[in-house]
Amino acid sequence: MIEIFVEPAREDWAKLQERAMFDDSIIEDRVKDIVEKVQKNGDSAIFELSKSIDNVELESLQVSQRELKLSFGTVASDLKDAMEVAMANIWKFHSSQMPKEIDIETTDGVRCIQRAIPIERVGLYIPGGSAPLLSTVLMLALPARVAGCKSITLCTPPRSDGTIAPEILYAASLCGVDNIYKIGGAQAIAAMAYGTESIEKVDKIFGPGNRYVTKAKQMLGLSQVAIDMPAGPSEVMVLADSTSKSNFVASDLLSQVEHGGDSQAILVTNSEVIAKEVQLCVEEQLKELSREVIASKALDNSKIIVIEKESEMIEFANTYASEHLIISMNKPWDVASKITAAGSIFIGNYTPESAGDYASGTNHTLPTAGWAKSFSGVNIDSFVRKVTIQEATKQGLENLGKTITTMAYAEGLTAHAEAVNIRLKEE
Amino acid sequence: MIEIFVEPAREDWAKLQERAMFDDSIIEDRVKDIVEKVQKNGDSAIFELSKSIDNVELESLQVSQRELKLSFGTVASDLKDAMEVAMANIWKFHSSQMPKEIDIETTDGVRCIQRAIPIERVGLYIPGGSAPLLSTVLMLALPARVAGCKSITLCTPPRSDGTIAPEILYAASLCGVDNIYKIGGAQAIAAMAYGTESIEKVDKIFGPGNRYVTKAKQMLGLSQVAIDMPAGPSEVMVLADSTSKSNFVASDLLSQVEHGGDSQAILVTNSEVIAKEVQLCVEEQLKELSREVIASKALDNSKIIVIEKESEMIEFANTYASEHLIISMNKPWDVASKITAAGSIFIGNYTPESAGDYASGTNHTLPTAGWAKSFSGVNIDSFVRKVTIQEATKQGLENLGKTITTMAYAEGLTAHAEAVNIRLKEE
């Protein structure tokens, strides 16, 4: 049963907010070994690793046009329809984020521009698992398309028969992914980071994954390739008062914990009645779930916290910096305006996390483990670089000349000053 | 003498574009050791390391209000004036980048918002060296202020007498830095990443540094703290045609190579006349420089490339992805519109790199070593997180209900579907 903590002392907050953490050093050597093999031996290393790790003997790494087309017939039409609706919303919201060019004059004759240029080659990783994570294909490939990335590569682990789920292939096609490869794990990240005979090196890698994938992204993320953000187990925090509905709140906690045994759901409420009601509703609803075992395990990491003062509830939320934050309170927008750290916020009683996970239009690739204090979730910025451009006229350079040379001399950089002087001396 | 390569074969481009690289594995263990000491022993480790590495016996880590005020009198008034002008331009350009809140309806009854929230606690690293890098203080602290960051911490190595250059202190004061610490190297990065008794843990670390600083940022950058970008030696590429002025171009190449022996300057021109003239001008101007020795060394990494076709010049530039790209050509804006990778672009004959280094208003903290393919230079985005907020009305959730549940079932996540069903069943 999910445990209730009433008015915990401030010094216990950190303990209550602890995430399930694993010691990654155990897998570090293994991941390093995989990465080095792929860097050195390219495709052949990947064929070998697929056999030894995934137990799959692949004929080719890339999904063929034929495989792609064959799969379309097997996707249910209501799922196709659903993907179209989700796609339209994701497209609309991410399009609205496209940065406009900024073009100003800072000093007479000195013009400064900020221009967004799409990253050329992006790589997406879609994890395997018991069911195909088709929504993540939409969440990563559509913003890349909106931003105008030239080439989208997708890697996802093959099933035991060497195929990829048709839903993944359909989603990738729908979103205009250019190349799909049957590669999973750390070897997929290494392949996209370094490039191989058949896989193009990419400029940035996106997407969730298991510990090996995460470790490989972390290992290569600031030395060989850019990555979206550090990743960890998924989590939700719900802020609820007496205007919330306990059965709704319980369903939100459960939809988080079904993700994996290391997921976390935390309810913060100023109502002890709600706390107890939610605790019971969770028990009841849990029995009906297909993933009861996983969810039960994650409930051990989960908590209900009763804090009476609203300002302290908000502080608790900001300290935790939840990936998902649901605000089921009387004045949810007022509370939202005081939130300083969260990945994505869900307002009121009729916005479950699953709305954003699939179809509201926001992105579901979000910072976990408190990284919301430092990172944004995936958005259009993630797929562009903002390049600055400046132009001084001769007059403009005259206007700034003394400023530049004075600072350059103060920094002992005389050549920097000379580059100005030589221009201003010219008749 | 800087070497000229005429119409190099395409297969030689990669070789010509190689940056000066050092093997960082040598210092890895040393940096790891420093980081672990600071994590474990906090302030006392820093006092020890300052003594053993920097040979400075510190009385306190933090610069006192008294030290701060005393230093102001010693900064030359023309330098103060210059900093004010630079500050105004940097403030103006970065203010213009402040993101507007996006607020749209994606489906009837479903509202999606993207809101920029400043990162609360940022840490800035300002390298030491023969002269104080006061401009970098402006380039990092001002955008943090514009963005609205609550707390700005600055670390910079003390001089041998245990003091910080007054110019750095003045610049930090001018920009509203909250706390200044006399700490350099990997220990400064570790202190800001973990926090110590006297130094606040920060959410993101910015700024250039030596190999130890860079290694520490890379080591902690995706596991303990966010960082601005990977760093490497500074570089410039100049694209020039017969309308450029050889002595100007030479002065730009030199103002780059005076940064350090590992800097790189590359001229790409379609004019052999310009190539030869620039080669001579560099030799002449070099003699006048205060940093002739450093510059000479960096000229060994530098090159002049003659490529006749303009489209290939542009391709060469995009493949290199230069930190600074100067376009001294007849139609510089046309060329700029075809640039897909650069940190910052300088247009025409009267915009030397030093204009952007100090005072045009653009940021000088830029991606090096080809990272411009993946990273933006420091800009307002670097100091905020973009948080999404969504709200569905009951009608809105009804409109999207089938889409969400169909996708959730396809992914085997029944609790995700139930969170929608339970809301829609409610009378």
Side-chain angles (χ1 to χ4, degrees):
Chain A
M1 200 177 251
I2 183 167
E3 202 175 344
I4 299 179
F5 299 81
V6 180
E7 294 293 346
R10 187 68 65 117
E11 57 266 31
D12 297 333
W13 281 20
K15 179 86 192 138
L16 289 170
Q17 296 192 343
E18 261 175 18
R19 270 89 169 177
M21 280 301 181
F22 21 68
D23 182 9
D24 262 353
S25 58
I26 313 163
I27 61 166
E28 189 155 349
D29 288 344
R30 182 82 192 96
V31 172
K32 208 170 203 166
D33 179 55
I34 294 172
V35 166
E36 279 169 7
K37 275 185 177 144
V38 173
Q39 182 187 10
K40 209 170 142 196
N41 299 324
D43 284 352
S44 75
I46 297 172
F47 279 112
E48 259 178 56
L49 291 163
S50 297
K51 202 175 161 189
S52 63
I53 300 178
D54 302 331
N55 208 17
V56 181
E57 199 128 6
L58 291 172
E59 280 173 31
S60 86
L61 298 178
Q62 187 165 8
V63 172
S64 68
Q65 284 301 316
R66 194 165 163 278
E67 282 176 283
L68 212 54
K69 273 178 197 141
L70 270 179
S71 74
F72 294 171
T74 68
V75 179
S77 68
D78 64 339
L79 183 58
K80 287 181 178 172
D81 293 345
M83 282 197 247
E84 298 269 2
V85 174
M87 178 175 170
N89 284 354
I90 296 165
W91 190 273
K92 201 168 171 186
F93 186 53
H94 288 77
S95 296
S96 76
Q97 297 166 21
M98 278 297 281
K100 285 183 191 56
E101 184 153 310
I102 292 162
D103 188 344
I104 66 162
E105 196 170 51
T106 51
T107 287
D108 281 349
V110 179
R111 182 179 170 196
C112 292
I113 287 175
Q114 187 197 50
R115 174 176 294 173
I117 300 178
I119 293 176
E120 291 220 2
R121 305 165 301 179
V122 297
L124 317 181
Y125 185 80
I126 305 296
S130 50
L133 285 181
L134 53 101
S135 61
T136 305
V137 179
L138 270 59
M139 292 294 176
L140 298 177
L142 290 175
R145 270 288 159 248
V146 170
C149 300
K150 282 220 183 94
S151 135
I152 306 178
T153 298
L154 186 152
C155 286
T156 190
R159 300 183 289 193
S160 55
D161 64 354
T163 64
I164 305 288
E167 293 84 357
I168 295 283
L169 297 181
Y170 182 80
S173 248
L174 190 68
C175 301
V177 168
D178 297 293
N179 294 293
I180 308 170
Y181 297 95
K182 303 172 184 180
I183 316 175
Q187 58 269 33
I189 303 304
M192 293 192 280
Y194 290 106
T196 72
E197 300 89 324
S198 61
I199 299 144
E200 186 184 39
K201 174 186 169 12
V202 303
D203 300 314
K204 191 169 183 178
I205 297 177
F206 296 79
N210 63 18
R211 293 164 60 183
Y212 289 84
V213 168
T214 299
K215 192 75 202 166
K217 282 175 71 184
Q218 203 184 59
M219 217 174 255
L220 298 169
L222 286 169
S223 57
Q224 179 59 29
V225 72
I227 68 163
D228 47 359
M229 71 187 85
S234 194
E235 65 207 19
V236 71
M237 179 174 276
V238 181
L239 299 181
D241 63 14
S242 60
T243 68
S244 70
K245 307 200 174 190
S246 301
N247 55 342
F248 294 5
V249 172
S251 76
D252 290 328
L253 299 180
L254 285 171
S255 71
Q256 186 55 53
V257 293
E258 76 171 337
H259 272 295
D262 50 8
S263 292
Q264 188 169 61
I266 295 183
L267 165 64
V268 182
T269 178
N270 51 13
S271 156
E272 279 201 61
V273 177
I274 291 285
K276 283 176 189 156
E277 279 180 13
V278 171
Q279 190 184 40
L280 289 177
C281 287
V282 164
E283 287 302 296
E284 265 172 44
Q285 292 180 23
L286 179 62
K287 292 175 214 147
E288 310 295 320
L289 293 186
S290 56
R291 292 175 166 240
E292 191 188 341
V293 179
I294 292 173
S296 292
K297 188 163 174 236
L299 282 175
D300 293 342
N301 312 325
S302 300
K303 290 167 190 80
I304 297 176
I305 317 278
V306 180
I307 296 178
E308 208 195 323
K309 265 183 87 175
E310 191 177 291
S311 63
E312 283 181 19
M313 289 174 67
I314 293 168
E315 213 185 320
F316 193 88
N318 286 333
T319 315
Y320 184 73
S322 190
E323 183 191 11
H324 306 96
L325 179 68
I326 300 177
I327 306 177
S328 291
M329 295 178 73
N330 186 31
K331 293 187 174 174
W333 287 102
D334 284 1
V335 174
S337 73
K338 292 170 190 148
I339 293 301
T340 57
S344 190
I345 298 172
F346 302 76
I347 296 283
N349 287 333
Y350 291 94
T351 319
E353 187 202 305
S354 45
D357 285 342
Y358 292 112
S360 66
T362 63
N363 209 289
H364 79 196
T365 312
L366 298 166
T368 54
W371 283 111
K373 290 178 186 168
S374 314
F375 282 86
S376 308
V378 164
N379 64 84
I380 282 297
D381 290 345
S382 318
F383 295 91
V384 302
R385 293 143 303 149
K386 295 192 176 166
V387 175
T388 53
I389 310 175
Q390 55 242 284
E391 181 184 40
T393 60
K394 191 170 183 192
Q395 184 58 49
L397 189 61
E398 264 163 24
N399 294 339
L400 275 188
K402 180 121 196 306
T403 296
I404 299 168
T405 55
T406 305
M407 291 176 77
Y409 289 130
E411 292 191 351
L413 297 172
T414 55
H416 280 62
E418 283 314 309
V420 174
N421 293 336
I422 202 168
R423 284 167 162 92
L424 296 183
K425 269 186 280 182
E426 185 96 352
E427 286 312 299
Chain B
M1 199 176 252
I2 182 167
E3 203 176 345
I4 299 179
F5 299 81
V6 180
E7 296 292 347
R10 188 65 66 117
E11 58 266 30
D12 296 334
W13 281 19
K15 179 86 191 137
L16 290 169
Q17 297 191 342
E18 262 175 18
R19 269 89 169 176
M21 280 302 181
F22 21 67
D23 182 7
D24 262 352
S25 56
I26 313 163
I27 60 166
E28 189 156 349
D29 288 344
R30 183 83 192 95
V31 173
K32 209 170 202 166
D33 180 54
I34 294 172
V35 166
E36 279 168 7
K37 277 185 177 142
V38 174
Q39 183 188 8
K40 208 171 141 197
N41 300 323
D43 284 353
S44 75
I46 297 173
F47 279 111
E48 260 178 55
L49 290 162
S50 297
K51 203 176 160 188
S52 63
I53 300 178
D54 302 331
N55 207 19
V56 181
E57 200 129 5
L58 291 173
E59 281 172 30
S60 85
L61 298 177
Q62 188 167 6
V63 172
S64 67
Q65 285 300 315
R66 194 168 163 275
E67 284 176 283
L68 211 54
K69 273 178 197 143
L70 269 179
S71 74
F72 294 172
T74 68
V75 178
S77 69
D78 64 339
L79 182 58
K80 287 181 177 173
D81 293 346
M83 282 198 246
E84 299 269 1
V85 173
M87 179 176 169
N89 283 353
I90 296 165
W91 190 273
K92 200 169 172 184
F93 186 52
H94 287 78
S95 296
S96 75
Q97 297 165 20
M98 279 297 281
K100 285 182 192 56
E101 184 154 310
I102 293 161
D103 187 344
I104 66 163
E105 195 170 50
T106 50
T107 287
D108 280 349
V110 180
R111 183 179 169 197
C112 292
I113 286 175
Q114 188 197 51
R115 174 177 294 173
I117 300 178
I119 293 176
E120 291 222 1
R121 305 165 300 178
V122 298
L124 318 180
Y125 185 81
I126 306 296
S130 50
L133 285 181
L134 53 102
S135 61
T136 304
V137 179
L138 271 60
M139 292 295 176
L140 298 178
L142 290 176
R145 270 288 159 248
V146 170
C149 301
K150 281 219 185 93
S151 139
I152 306 179
T153 298
L154 186 152
C155 286
T156 190
R159 299 183 289 192
S160 54
D161 64 354
T163 64
I164 305 288
E167 294 84 355
I168 295 284
L169 297 181
Y170 182 81
S173 248
L174 190 68
C175 301
V177 169
D178 297 291
N179 294 295
I180 308 171
Y181 297 95
K182 303 172 183 181
I183 316 174
Q187 57 270 36
I189 304 304
M192 293 192 282
Y194 291 105
T196 71
E197 299 89 325
S198 60
I199 299 145
E200 186 184 41
K201 174 187 169 14
V202 304
D203 300 314
K204 191 169 183 178
I205 297 177
F206 297 80
N210 64 19
R211 291 164 60 185
Y212 290 84
V213 169
T214 300
K215 192 77 203 168
K217 282 175 71 184
Q218 203 184 60
M219 218 174 254
L220 298 170
L222 287 169
S223 56
Q224 180 59 30
V225 72
I227 69 164
D228 49 357
M229 70 188 83
S234 193
E235 65 205 21
V236 72
M237 179 173 275
V238 182
L239 299 181
D241 63 15
S242 59
T243 68
S244 70
K245 305 199 175 191
S246 301
N247 55 343
F248 294 4
V249 172
S251 75
D252 290 327
L253 299 179
L254 285 171
S255 70
Q256 185 56 51
V257 293
E258 77 171 336
H259 272 296
D262 51 8
S263 292
Q264 189 169 60
I266 295 183
L267 166 63
V268 182
T269 177
N270 51 13
S271 155
E272 278 201 61
V273 176
I274 292 283
K276 283 176 188 157
E277 280 180 12
V278 171
Q279 190 184 41
L280 290 176
C281 287
V282 164
E283 286 302 296
E284 265 172 45
Q285 293 179 22
L286 179 62
K287 292 176 215 149
E288 311 296 320
L289 293 186
S290 55
R291 293 175 165 239
E292 189 189 343
V293 179
I294 291 172
S296 293
K297 189 168 173 232
L299 282 174
D300 294 342
N301 311 325
S302 299
K303 291 170 188 80
I304 298 175
I305 317 277
V306 180
I307 295 177
E308 210 196 322
K309 265 182 88 173
E310 192 177 289
S311 63
E312 284 181 19
M313 290 174 68
I314 293 168
E315 212 184 321
F316 194 87
N318 286 332
T319 315
Y320 184 72
S322 191
E323 182 191 12
H324 306 96
L325 179 68
I326 299 176
I327 305 177
S328 291
M329 295 177 72
N330 186 32
K331 293 186 174 176
W333 287 102
D334 284 0
V335 174
S337 73
K338 291 171 191 148
I339 294 301
T340 57
S344 190
I345 299 172
F346 302 77
I347 296 284
N349 287 333
Y350 291 93
T351 318
E353 187 201 306
S354 44
D357 285 342
Y358 292 112
S360 65
T362 63
N363 209 288
H364 79 195
T365 312
L366 298 166
T368 55
W371 283 111
K373 291 178 186 168
S374 313
F375 282 85
S376 309
V378 163
N379 64 84
I380 282 296
D381 290 345
S382 317
F383 295 89
V384 303
R385 293 143 301 149
K386 295 194 176 166
V387 175
T388 52
I389 310 174
Q390 56 241 287
E391 182 185 40
T393 60
K394 191 170 184 193
Q395 184 57 51
L397 189 61
E398 264 163 25
N399 293 339
L400 275 188
K402 180 124 196 306
T403 296
I404 299 167
T405 55
T406 304
M407 290 174 78
Y409 289 130
E411 292 191 351
L413 297 172
T414 55
H416 281 63
E418 282 314 310
V420 173
N421 292 336
I422 200 169
R423 285 168 163 92
L424 295 184
K425 269 185 276 178
E426 185 95 352
E427 286 312 298

